PDB file of all heavy atoms in Angstrom:
ATOM      1  N   ASP X 214       6.436  18.746  11.306  1.00  0.00           N
ATOM      2  CA  ASP X 214       7.330  17.924  10.691  1.00  0.00           C
ATOM      3  C   ASP X 214       8.139  17.138  11.628  1.00  0.00           C
ATOM      4  O   ASP X 214       8.513  15.967  11.336  1.00  0.00           O
ATOM      5  CB  ASP X 214       8.203  18.712   9.777  1.00  0.00           C
ATOM      6  CG  ASP X 214       7.363  19.340   8.514  1.00  0.00           C
ATOM      7  OD1 ASP X 214       6.306  18.857   8.298  1.00  0.00           O
ATOM      8  OD2 ASP X 214       7.982  20.290   7.940  1.00  0.00           O
ATOM      9  N   PHE X 215       8.558  17.834  12.794  1.00  0.00           N
ATOM     10  CA  PHE X 215       9.366  17.173  13.793  1.00  0.00           C
ATOM     11  C   PHE X 215       8.632  15.882  14.347  1.00  0.00           C
ATOM     12  O   PHE X 215       9.294  14.871  14.546  1.00  0.00           O
ATOM     13  CB  PHE X 215       9.722  18.041  14.842  1.00  0.00           C
ATOM     14  CG  PHE X 215      10.431  17.461  16.010  1.00  0.00           C
ATOM     15  CD1 PHE X 215      11.814  17.147  15.775  1.00  0.00           C
ATOM     16  CD2 PHE X 215       9.918  17.204  17.089  1.00  0.00           C
ATOM     17  CE1 PHE X 215      12.555  16.574  16.825  1.00  0.00           C
ATOM     18  CE2 PHE X 215      10.530  16.632  18.133  1.00  0.00           C
ATOM     19  CZ  PHE X 215      11.927  16.169  18.123  1.00  0.00           C
ATOM     20  N   MET X 216       7.342  16.004  14.495  1.00  0.00           N
ATOM     21  CA  MET X 216       6.530  15.012  15.174  1.00  0.00           C
ATOM     22  C   MET X 216       6.500  13.734  14.267  1.00  0.00           C
ATOM     23  O   MET X 216       6.760  12.547  14.740  1.00  0.00           O
ATOM     24  CB  MET X 216       5.186  15.466  15.503  1.00  0.00           C
ATOM     25  CG  MET X 216       4.339  14.412  16.238  1.00  0.00           C
ATOM     26  SD  MET X 216       5.003  14.035  17.858  1.00  0.00           S
ATOM     27  CE  MET X 216       4.829  15.644  18.679  1.00  0.00           C
ATOM     28  N   TRP X 217       6.181  13.877  12.931  1.00  0.00           N
ATOM     29  CA  TRP X 217       6.125  12.699  12.173  1.00  0.00           C
ATOM     30  C   TRP X 217       7.485  12.083  11.870  1.00  0.00           C
ATOM     31  O   TRP X 217       7.650  10.909  11.815  1.00  0.00           O
ATOM     32  CB  TRP X 217       5.465  12.952  10.796  1.00  0.00           C
ATOM     33  CG  TRP X 217       6.254  13.704   9.680  1.00  0.00           C
ATOM     34  CD1 TRP X 217       5.979  14.949   9.383  1.00  0.00           C
ATOM     35  CD2 TRP X 217       7.096  13.098   8.843  1.00  0.00           C
ATOM     36  NE1 TRP X 217       6.919  15.222   8.330  1.00  0.00           N
ATOM     37  CE2 TRP X 217       7.545  13.977   7.912  1.00  0.00           C
ATOM     38  CE3 TRP X 217       7.556  11.773   8.546  1.00  0.00           C
ATOM     39  CZ2 TRP X 217       8.475  13.876   6.921  1.00  0.00           C
ATOM     40  CZ3 TRP X 217       8.502  11.541   7.582  1.00  0.00           C
ATOM     41  CH2 TRP X 217       8.962  12.542   6.788  1.00  0.00           C
ATOM     42  N   LEU X 218       8.457  12.959  11.940  1.00  0.00           N
ATOM     43  CA  LEU X 218       9.856  12.410  11.665  1.00  0.00           C
ATOM     44  C   LEU X 218      10.318  11.578  12.967  1.00  0.00           C
ATOM     45  O   LEU X 218      10.865  10.502  12.696  1.00  0.00           O
ATOM     46  CB  LEU X 218      10.845  13.546  11.503  1.00  0.00           C
ATOM     47  CG  LEU X 218      12.259  13.026  11.127  1.00  0.00           C
ATOM     48  CD1 LEU X 218      12.248  12.354   9.828  1.00  0.00           C
ATOM     49  CD2 LEU X 218      13.206  14.355  10.970  1.00  0.00           C
ATOM     50  N   VAL X 219       9.981  11.993  14.109  1.00  0.00           N
ATOM     51  CA  VAL X 219      10.319  11.228  15.388  1.00  0.00           C
ATOM     52  C   VAL X 219       9.544   9.910  15.369  1.00  0.00           C
ATOM     53  O   VAL X 219      10.193   8.872  15.563  1.00  0.00           O
ATOM     54  CB  VAL X 219       9.944  12.142  16.556  1.00  0.00           C
ATOM     55  CG1 VAL X 219       9.896  11.210  17.919  1.00  0.00           C
ATOM     56  CG2 VAL X 219      10.951  13.190  16.748  1.00  0.00           C
ATOM     57  N   TYR X 220       8.281   9.976  14.950  1.00  0.00           N
ATOM     58  CA  TYR X 220       7.529   8.674  14.999  1.00  0.00           C
ATOM     59  C   TYR X 220       8.025   7.731  13.947  1.00  0.00           C
ATOM     60  O   TYR X 220       8.137   6.636  14.066  1.00  0.00           O
ATOM     61  CB  TYR X 220       5.995   9.053  14.713  1.00  0.00           C
ATOM     62  CG  TYR X 220       5.115   7.899  14.957  1.00  0.00           C
ATOM     63  CD1 TYR X 220       4.293   7.933  16.114  1.00  0.00           C
ATOM     64  CD2 TYR X 220       5.035   6.873  14.110  1.00  0.00           C
ATOM     65  CE1 TYR X 220       3.518   6.808  16.356  1.00  0.00           C
ATOM     66  CE2 TYR X 220       4.055   5.777  14.364  1.00  0.00           C
ATOM     67  CZ  TYR X 220       3.456   5.702  15.531  1.00  0.00           C
ATOM     68  OH  TYR X 220       2.594   4.733  15.771  1.00  0.00           O
ATOM     69  N   PHE X 221       8.425   8.298  12.741  1.00  0.00           N
ATOM     70  CA  PHE X 221       8.949   7.429  11.720  1.00  0.00           C
ATOM     71  C   PHE X 221      10.257   6.816  12.161  1.00  0.00           C
ATOM     72  O   PHE X 221      10.500   5.587  11.811  1.00  0.00           O
ATOM     73  CB  PHE X 221       9.128   8.355  10.392  1.00  0.00           C
ATOM     74  CG  PHE X 221       9.736   7.605   9.251  1.00  0.00           C
ATOM     75  CD1 PHE X 221       8.869   6.725   8.598  1.00  0.00           C
ATOM     76  CD2 PHE X 221      10.986   7.688   8.830  1.00  0.00           C
ATOM     77  CE1 PHE X 221       9.318   6.046   7.375  1.00  0.00           C
ATOM     78  CE2 PHE X 221      11.496   7.054   7.712  1.00  0.00           C
ATOM     79  CZ  PHE X 221      10.723   6.116   7.077  1.00  0.00           C
ATOM     80  N   ILE X 222      11.097   7.483  12.711  1.00  0.00           N
ATOM     81  CA  ILE X 222      12.387   6.940  13.245  1.00  0.00           C
ATOM     82  C   ILE X 222      12.218   5.789  14.235  1.00  0.00           C
ATOM     83  O   ILE X 222      12.770   4.793  14.173  1.00  0.00           O
ATOM     84  CB  ILE X 222      13.242   8.114  13.905  1.00  0.00           C
ATOM     85  CG1 ILE X 222      13.777   9.077  12.703  1.00  0.00           C
ATOM     86  CG2 ILE X 222      14.512   7.474  14.553  1.00  0.00           C
ATOM     87  CD1 ILE X 222      14.499  10.246  13.246  1.00  0.00           C
ATOM     88  N   PHE X 223      11.271   6.092  15.213  1.00  0.00           N
ATOM     89  CA  PHE X 223      10.913   4.987  16.137  1.00  0.00           C
ATOM     90  C   PHE X 223      10.428   3.872  15.469  1.00  0.00           C
ATOM     91  O   PHE X 223      10.703   2.797  15.756  1.00  0.00           O
ATOM     92  CB  PHE X 223       9.958   5.536  17.293  1.00  0.00           C
ATOM     93  CG  PHE X 223      10.663   6.223  18.354  1.00  0.00           C
ATOM     94  CD1 PHE X 223      10.863   7.566  18.513  1.00  0.00           C
ATOM     95  CD2 PHE X 223      11.019   5.358  19.460  1.00  0.00           C
ATOM     96  CE1 PHE X 223      11.452   8.179  19.587  1.00  0.00           C
ATOM     97  CE2 PHE X 223      11.651   5.924  20.580  1.00  0.00           C
ATOM     98  CZ  PHE X 223      11.860   7.364  20.653  1.00  0.00           C
ATOM     99  N   TYR X 224       9.478   3.965  14.506  1.00  0.00           N
ATOM    100  CA  TYR X 224       8.826   2.857  13.795  1.00  0.00           C
ATOM    101  C   TYR X 224       9.896   2.077  13.125  1.00  0.00           C
ATOM    102  O   TYR X 224       9.959   0.768  13.067  1.00  0.00           O
ATOM    103  CB  TYR X 224       7.859   3.433  12.862  1.00  0.00           C
ATOM    104  CG  TYR X 224       7.257   2.476  11.847  1.00  0.00           C
ATOM    105  CD1 TYR X 224       6.473   1.377  12.270  1.00  0.00           C
ATOM    106  CD2 TYR X 224       7.689   2.448  10.487  1.00  0.00           C
ATOM    107  CE1 TYR X 224       5.896   0.387  11.444  1.00  0.00           C
ATOM    108  CE2 TYR X 224       7.118   1.526   9.649  1.00  0.00           C
ATOM    109  CZ  TYR X 224       6.376   0.483  10.082  1.00  0.00           C
ATOM    110  OH  TYR X 224       5.957  -0.499   9.198  1.00  0.00           O
ATOM    111  N   ILE X 225      10.743   2.807  12.234  1.00  0.00           N
ATOM    112  CA  ILE X 225      11.744   1.921  11.421  1.00  0.00           C
ATOM    113  C   ILE X 225      12.796   1.189  12.362  1.00  0.00           C
ATOM    114  O   ILE X 225      13.125   0.095  12.019  1.00  0.00           O
ATOM    115  CB  ILE X 225      12.477   2.853  10.475  1.00  0.00           C
ATOM    116  CG1 ILE X 225      13.292   3.873  11.172  1.00  0.00           C
ATOM    117  CG2 ILE X 225      11.484   3.404   9.495  1.00  0.00           C
ATOM    118  CD1 ILE X 225      14.177   4.690  10.229  1.00  0.00           C
ATOM    119  N   LEU X 226      13.083   1.671  13.523  1.00  0.00           N
ATOM    120  CA  LEU X 226      13.960   1.026  14.509  1.00  0.00           C
ATOM    121  C   LEU X 226      13.326  -0.154  15.059  1.00  0.00           C
ATOM    122  O   LEU X 226      13.891  -1.232  15.175  1.00  0.00           O
ATOM    123  CB  LEU X 226      14.506   1.973  15.523  1.00  0.00           C
ATOM    124  CG  LEU X 226      15.453   3.093  15.034  1.00  0.00           C
ATOM    125  CD1 LEU X 226      15.720   4.028  16.247  1.00  0.00           C
ATOM    126  CD2 LEU X 226      16.673   2.481  14.428  1.00  0.00           C
ATOM    127  N   ILE X 227      12.096  -0.097  15.506  1.00  0.00           N
ATOM    128  CA  ILE X 227      11.448  -1.165  16.179  1.00  0.00           C
ATOM    129  C   ILE X 227      11.078  -2.181  15.089  1.00  0.00           C
ATOM    130  O   ILE X 227      11.251  -3.396  15.315  1.00  0.00           O
ATOM    131  CB  ILE X 227      10.262  -0.626  16.779  1.00  0.00           C
ATOM    132  CG1 ILE X 227      10.531   0.315  18.021  1.00  0.00           C
ATOM    133  CG2 ILE X 227       9.338  -1.822  17.389  1.00  0.00           C
ATOM    134  CD1 ILE X 227       9.411   0.923  18.585  1.00  0.00           C
ATOM    135  N   SER X 228      10.693  -1.797  13.921  1.00  0.00           N
ATOM    136  CA  SER X 228      10.498  -2.804  12.781  1.00  0.00           C
ATOM    137  C   SER X 228      11.702  -3.538  12.468  1.00  0.00           C
ATOM    138  O   SER X 228      11.670  -4.634  12.175  1.00  0.00           O
ATOM    139  CB  SER X 228       9.964  -2.042  11.544  1.00  0.00           C
ATOM    140  OG  SER X 228       8.682  -1.542  11.774  1.00  0.00           O
ATOM    141  N   LEU X 229      12.923  -2.853  12.470  1.00  0.00           N
ATOM    142  CA  LEU X 229      14.147  -3.479  12.222  1.00  0.00           C
ATOM    143  C   LEU X 229      14.437  -4.542  13.170  1.00  0.00           C
ATOM    144  O   LEU X 229      14.983  -5.620  12.892  1.00  0.00           O
ATOM    145  CB  LEU X 229      15.261  -2.480  12.291  1.00  0.00           C
ATOM    146  CG  LEU X 229      16.708  -2.954  12.004  1.00  0.00           C
ATOM    147  CD1 LEU X 229      16.748  -3.604  10.697  1.00  0.00           C
ATOM    148  CD2 LEU X 229      17.730  -1.848  12.203  1.00  0.00           C
ATOM    149  N   SER X 230      14.101  -4.350  14.516  1.00  0.00           N
ATOM    150  CA  SER X 230      14.311  -5.373  15.562  1.00  0.00           C
ATOM    151  C   SER X 230      13.474  -6.657  15.308  1.00  0.00           C
ATOM    152  O   SER X 230      13.974  -7.695  15.504  1.00  0.00           O
ATOM    153  CB  SER X 230      14.091  -4.785  16.977  1.00  0.00           C
ATOM    154  OG  SER X 230      12.680  -4.618  17.067  1.00  0.00           O
ATOM    155  N   ILE X 231      12.319  -6.467  14.732  1.00  0.00           N
ATOM    156  CA  ILE X 231      11.379  -7.629  14.422  1.00  0.00           C
ATOM    157  C   ILE X 231      11.866  -8.275  13.202  1.00  0.00           C
ATOM    158  O   ILE X 231      11.831  -9.548  13.029  1.00  0.00           O
ATOM    159  CB  ILE X 231       9.988  -7.171  14.360  1.00  0.00           C
ATOM    160  CG1 ILE X 231       9.513  -6.515  15.666  1.00  0.00           C
ATOM    161  CG2 ILE X 231       9.060  -8.234  13.983  1.00  0.00           C
ATOM    162  CD1 ILE X 231       8.083  -6.053  15.629  1.00  0.00           C
ATOM    163  N   VAL X 232      12.115  -7.529  12.136  1.00  0.00           N
ATOM    164  CA  VAL X 232      12.607  -8.125  10.891  1.00  0.00           C
ATOM    165  C   VAL X 232      13.928  -8.995  11.082  1.00  0.00           C
ATOM    166  O   VAL X 232      14.030 -10.021  10.533  1.00  0.00           O
ATOM    167  CB  VAL X 232      12.818  -6.998   9.785  1.00  0.00           C
ATOM    168  CG1 VAL X 232      13.444  -7.575   8.569  1.00  0.00           C
ATOM    169  CG2 VAL X 232      11.496  -6.536   9.378  1.00  0.00           C
ATOM    170  N   VAL X 233      14.879  -8.460  11.872  1.00  0.00           N
ATOM    171  CA  VAL X 233      16.109  -9.093  12.152  1.00  0.00           C
ATOM    172  C   VAL X 233      15.734 -10.422  12.877  1.00  0.00           C
ATOM    173  O   VAL X 233      16.328 -11.446  12.529  1.00  0.00           O
ATOM    174  CB  VAL X 233      17.080  -8.297  13.051  1.00  0.00           C
ATOM    175  CG1 VAL X 233      18.142  -9.105  13.647  1.00  0.00           C
ATOM    176  CG2 VAL X 233      17.518  -7.074  12.204  1.00  0.00           C
TER     177      VAL X 233
END
Side-chain angles (χ1 to χ4, degrees):
D214 292 339
F215 175 77
M216 185 62 68
W217 79 259
L218 187 60
V219 167
Y220 195 102
F221 182 73
I222 292 173
F223 271 94
Y224 168 71
I225 61 175
L226 290 177
I227 297 171
S228 296
L229 177 63
S230 67
I231 298 176
V232 169
V233 166

